[in-house]
Amino acid sequence: MKELLQQYAAYNVWANRLLMEAIIKLPEAWQTKEIPSSFPGLHATILHLWDSESAWWQRIKLQEVVIPPSVHFKGNTIDAANGLQHQDRLWEQWVNNATEAALVHVFAYQNSKKEHFKQPVCQVLLHVFNHSSYHRGQMVTMLRQLGADKIPNTDFINWSRTPRPPNPPKGERKVLK
């Protein structure tokens, strides 16, 4: 199970990075333009992904009060994309360092509606990574509606076929600019 979750975590980092790099190359007006979807545009969808990944992170870390990053966020799309990328790397590092026992550990949490649940961590991880895939698909559709012509293919199969150098040390990781 751990190897599969490591692959999904690495894939999530890779796919979100490719899509964020494409989005931040767009004119700022396109990044913030309202486009009907689950969230009204690219910027809003990036914030939602960051909020969601962060909320699950906080739950797994057993924080009593979950505070989405967007509550205090005042930055632009690049800042939101960097926040999401940072959160993605935290997940990847956590999965890489997790024991099998940590992955199957059942933990209790409450969702944003204050409903209580108990689930294994591995199910939450699969949800986090699948949730990102869902919204990346929406962002690809938004990019097409905007007329973007360079949209990266973020399919898992492409990630699995792409040779990857080993991850650089933490301090040397590329940050979106």
Side-chain angles (χ1 to χ4, degrees):
M1 173 177 313
K2 180 172 177 168
E3 183 178 339
L4 179 63
L5 290 170
Q6 286 175 305
Q7 288 181 28
Y8 276 129
Y11 162 67
N12 193 59
V13 169
W14 174 84
N16 280 346
R17 180 182 49 79
L18 282 182
L19 197 54
M20 295 307 108
E21 286 174 348
I23 290 169
I24 64 173
K25 289 178 184 173
L26 298 173
E28 190 172 342
W30 285 19
Q31 295 171 17
T32 57
K33 181 178 172 89
E34 284 204 21
I35 304 167
S37 192
S38 293
F39 297 90
L42 295 165
H43 180 85
T45 305
I46 293 167
L47 277 178
H48 168 71
L49 278 176
W50 184 20
D51 280 351
S52 298
E53 286 195 20
S54 176
W56 283 111
W57 178 259
Q58 292 172 62
R59 289 176 187 136
I60 289 227
K61 295 294 184 171
L62 304 178
Q63 283 186 219
E64 281 190 43
V65 178
V66 172
I67 301 171
S70 66
V71 168
H72 302 293
F73 184 73
K74 303 280 189 247
N76 59 21
T77 303
I78 294 171
D79 298 327
N82 279 321
L84 174 60
Q85 284 284 273
H86 175 74
Q87 185 63 61
D88 290 339
R89 288 189 303 271
L90 287 175
W91 279 118
E92 181 182 35
Q93 182 180 18
W94 190 91
V95 170
N96 286 337
N97 293 325
T99 63
E100 286 290 335
L103 294 171
V104 297
H105 174 74
V106 174
F107 77 108
Y109 65 92
Q110 65 179 15
N111 66 9
S112 58
K113 297 175 186 172
K114 307 291 185 208
E115 299 168 317
H116 293 266
F117 298 94
K118 289 182 181 181
Q119 286 183 267
V121 170
C122 60
Q123 288 181 351
V124 167
L125 293 170
L126 288 171
H127 167 73
V128 167
F129 304 140
N130 187 57
H131 180 256
S132 286
S133 292
Y134 173 77
H135 286 298
R136 279 193 301 270
Q138 290 181 322
M139 288 189 282
V140 165
T141 299
M142 290 180 207
L143 288 167
R144 286 195 174 107
Q145 289 173 351
L146 289 167
D149 57 356
K150 293 188 178 172
I151 302 171
N153 183 334
T154 60
D155 287 344
F156 180 84
I157 197 70
N158 281 1
W159 171 84
S160 69
R161 293 174 182 156
T162 304
R164 289 170 299 284
N167 285 333
K170 268 197 248 184
E172 297 177 30
R173 289 197 182 245
K174 181 181 174 187
V175 177
L176 299 171
K177 295 181 182 184

